[in-house]
Amino acid sequence: MNNYFIIGKVNEGKSFLFNLFSKTHKTISNPKANTTIDVIRKNILSENFEYNIYDTPGFYKLSDFTELINKISMLKLDNIKFIYLISSFTNEDLKICKQLYSKNYNLLLFSFKKIDEKDYISNLFDKTFTNYSNNYPTLKKYLSNENKKQDSNIKIENKKIITIFGKENTGKSTLFNKITNISLSKTSPHLHTTRDSVNWDIQYKNQTLEFIDTAGFIRNRSNRKNLVFEKLSLEQSEYFIKKSSLIVLLLDANSESRLDLSLIGSLSKRNKPFLVLVNKIDLIDNKTLYQQKFLNYLSSNHNYYSSLNIYFISALKSSKSKILQIVSNQLQNKFYFKTSYLNKIVKSINGELGKIQKNSKEFKIYFITAFTVNQKNYFKISCNFQKKNIKVHIKNYLSKILIRELNLKGVSFNLIF
């Protein structure tokens, strides 16, 4: 498949052109310089043609472009082609285009407005789109014709979309780069480093997984200095969350807050599978104690609208295979229940338990929630008994009812009260 990178100096309109093709996955197009800081990909697909198009950071001079071309080379793609966007052709543009020409890259010249051919060297380009006041329709038609499918009956690949979401500076881009094995998303301790949602595909166990790195949600209002950017970034995040097969909420082990609970509650209401990764666990001294406190914190402050799946990781030190295994397990997870559904069956469970209770105070369940921690499944039972007073035969019978009602044969789980 052909990969077309839109390149050009700062503020030439690269993001605007990308958005004309993309329509849905729009990057932030803004007059402010250096708005785009990552390489953003969109697959352009129809019954008749298919290709990838990329938005890229702008550059001022040849040395800046060298940094970009090195980043593109790291992607290890075949069939790389460039759409060079200009408003006027300068000496710096000439240097860059000569360099691309010398490396035998396929190079297209594009301008939104009409430019006279005598103002550039046409021999450097495989095709030019500078003849009209609006050259976009001509470019679009050209790319459609150049990328026709050989077989129109090819089935569209059923890929899974995994969106990484969370507060600012939790390590989302670090995690994304670890998974994709390339430094595609810029990392920095500064707020709002990721603005556009960055996406990339990987192959794992005969399955295509598309990972999305989204902009961080800035919790402190006093730090929200780029309100326009943040609004557009969150709109992008919302778009991918809606399309997701799985949402990954990344939390910071060193930064617990009420916002963690708010984000968990918001995502759990969406009726989509999601998991919680608590990052930077490598910075915690007593990990066992921390994990227990974390779970107690969640269980005492959150009502669990749906099953929570929690893992403690280090985006820096955990292996790529471990993280992908967690994601794969969650995509196939059978231990996922809406709390509203669990509580619908509480009345019938209490009725069945009442049949085996004789000459003792009746054991009664108020509500049930479910969660997974480091691949261990739990039902939390809120009831009228203290844990030490619950008899073994009640626990065993309750387990059998849950296995039957929730089709959990062969799935291990623990009951906590």
Side-chain angles (χ1 to χ4, degrees):
M1 188 189 310
N2 286 327
N3 296 285
Y4 294 90
F5 287 82
I6 303 172
I7 61 173
K9 298 193 302 297
V10 172
N11 272 6
E12 291 284 4
K14 296 179 294 300
S15 294
F16 182 75
L17 179 60
F18 177 88
N19 291 341
L20 289 176
F21 282 99
S22 176
K23 295 182 180 178
T24 51
H25 178 191
K26 289 180 179 266
T27 57
I28 299 174
S29 181
N30 191 285
K32 186 177 179 180
N34 299 118
T35 299
T36 302
I37 59 175
D38 293 306
V39 175
I40 318 295
R41 185 198 64 180
K42 173 66 177 178
N43 180 242
I44 308 298
L45 177 66
S46 80
E47 291 183 358
N48 301 317
F49 58 84
E50 182 178 12
Y51 57 91
N52 290 323
I53 196 159
Y54 299 78
D55 191 11
T56 65
F59 44 81
Y60 290 97
K61 53 187 182 296
L62 180 59
S63 58
D64 299 331
F65 173 72
T66 302
E67 183 179 337
L68 173 62
I69 199 72
N70 289 338
K71 188 169 188 176
I72 292 173
S73 299
M74 287 172 58
L75 303 181
K76 298 179 181 178
L77 295 170
D78 296 323
N79 305 319
I80 292 177
K81 303 174 187 294
F82 291 98
I83 300 171
Y84 199 93
L85 197 157
I86 59 167
S87 55
S88 61
F89 201 72
T90 67
N91 285 334
E92 207 66 30
D93 294 318
L94 178 61
K95 292 177 188 176
I96 294 165
C97 290
K98 279 185 174 180
Q99 184 182 96
L100 290 171
Y101 180 81
S102 68
K103 294 182 178 181
N104 296 318
Y105 280 116
N106 184 285
L107 186 58
L108 310 175
L109 182 66
F110 177 85
S111 177
F112 284 107
K113 63 183 182 181
K114 186 174 182 178
I115 295 180
D116 198 312
E117 284 192 19
K118 65 179 175 53
D119 292 332
Y120 59 84
I121 302 175
S122 58
N123 291 341
L124 292 174
F125 306 98
D126 295 87
K127 186 80 175 175
T128 60
F129 301 88
T130 59
N131 296 328
Y132 306 101
S133 57
N134 180 11
N135 291 294
Y136 170 68
T138 310
L139 174 62
K140 183 179 179 182
K141 183 177 180 180
Y142 171 81
L143 295 182
S144 300
N145 291 332
E146 286 292 303
N147 296 278
K148 287 189 180 297
K149 291 181 179 177
Q150 299 299 315
D151 184 356
S152 59
N153 294 321
I154 294 176
K155 293 182 180 180
I156 296 175
E157 186 177 34
N158 180 28
K159 70 169 62 173
K160 301 292 185 182
I161 298 175
I162 298 97
T163 300
I164 304 171
F165 183 70
K167 297 177 298 190
E168 81 283 9
N169 290 348
T170 54
K172 295 181 298 299
S173 295
T174 301
L175 179 66
F176 177 83
N177 290 340
K178 169 66 73 70
I179 292 168
T180 58
N181 211 29
I182 47 177
S183 297
L184 190 63
S185 199
K186 187 175 181 179
T187 59
S188 165
H190 301 297
L191 295 179
H192 224 262
T193 300
T194 301
R195 296 171 181 172
D196 293 296
S197 295
V198 184
N199 59 316
W200 202 252
D201 294 352
I202 68 162
Q203 298 296 318
Y204 183 72
K205 293 187 175 179
N206 300 317
Q207 172 80 64
T208 301
L209 304 177
E210 180 179 5
F211 283 89
I212 317 290
D213 178 24
T214 63
F217 183 83
I218 299 177
R219 55 194 146 155
N220 191 336
R221 292 184 180 180
S222 64
N223 289 328
R224 295 178 181 176
K225 298 175 182 177
N226 294 311
L227 294 178
V228 175
F229 284 165
E230 187 183 3
K231 179 177 181 293
L232 294 171
S233 295
L234 291 176
E235 286 176 359
Q236 279 191 20
S237 300
E238 179 65 25
Y239 167 76
F240 281 110
I241 285 173
K242 287 180 178 178
K243 288 173 64 70
S244 292
S245 310
L246 174 66
I247 304 167
V248 175
L249 175 61
L250 197 66
L251 303 183
D252 185 341
N254 287 298
S255 178
E256 292 178 6
S257 73
R258 298 293 299 182
L259 181 56
D260 293 348
L261 301 175
S262 176
L263 292 175
I264 289 171
S266 174
L267 293 178
S268 62
K269 291 177 183 178
R270 292 174 177 268
N271 200 27
K272 277 184 176 290
F274 78 100
L275 64 86
V276 177
L277 297 183
V278 184
N279 188 27
K280 305 182 186 178
I281 193 65
D282 55 305
L283 302 179
I284 303 297
D285 293 329
N286 191 332
K287 295 176 177 53
T288 302
L289 179 61
Y290 170 82
Q291 292 181 26
Q292 186 58 52
K293 285 184 176 179
F294 183 90
L295 295 177
N296 290 338
Y297 171 72
L298 282 180
S299 61
S300 61
N301 288 283
H302 187 58
N303 292 325
Y304 300 116
Y305 297 95
S306 60
S307 300
L308 281 181
N309 294 272
I310 305 165
Y311 296 82
F312 298 89
I313 68 159
S314 166
L316 282 174
K317 297 186 178 180
S318 296
S319 67
K320 174 182 176 181
S321 59
K322 176 185 176 180
I323 296 168
L324 288 176
Q325 186 62 56
I326 291 172
V327 169
S328 179
N329 288 345
Q330 183 58 23
L331 287 170
Q332 303 168 43
N333 185 28
K334 294 181 180 179
F335 200 83
Y336 177 78
F337 313 100
K338 294 293 286 183
T339 301
S340 56
Y341 174 75
L342 290 177
N343 291 323
K344 279 182 181 179
I345 65 175
V346 164
K347 185 176 180 180
S348 62
I349 291 176
N350 281 332
E352 288 197 50
L353 289 172
K355 296 175 183 179
I356 66 168
Q357 300 177 77
K358 295 180 181 179
N359 304 319
S360 62
K361 183 182 177 182
E362 183 178 355
F363 173 82
K364 185 178 179 181
I365 298 173
Y366 297 137
F367 59 85
I368 305 173
T369 55
F371 58 93
T372 300
V373 181
N374 293 344
Q375 295 183 303
K376 292 182 180 179
N377 302 318
Y378 299 89
F379 284 111
K380 182 177 180 182
I381 314 296
S382 177
C383 61
N384 61 335
F385 273 56
Q386 290 186 353
K387 179 179 178 181
K388 63 181 180 180
N389 296 327
I390 302 171
K391 295 182 179 180
V392 175
H393 74 287
I394 295 290
K395 295 179 181 178
N396 291 338
Y397 194 59
L398 176 56
S399 294
K400 289 178 181 179
I401 296 174
L402 290 170
I403 290 170
R404 185 194 70 211
E405 291 292 321
L406 302 173
N407 193 26
L408 290 175
K409 188 174 181 180
V411 178
S412 64
F413 60 86
N414 300 289
L415 301 181
I416 57 175
F417 297 88

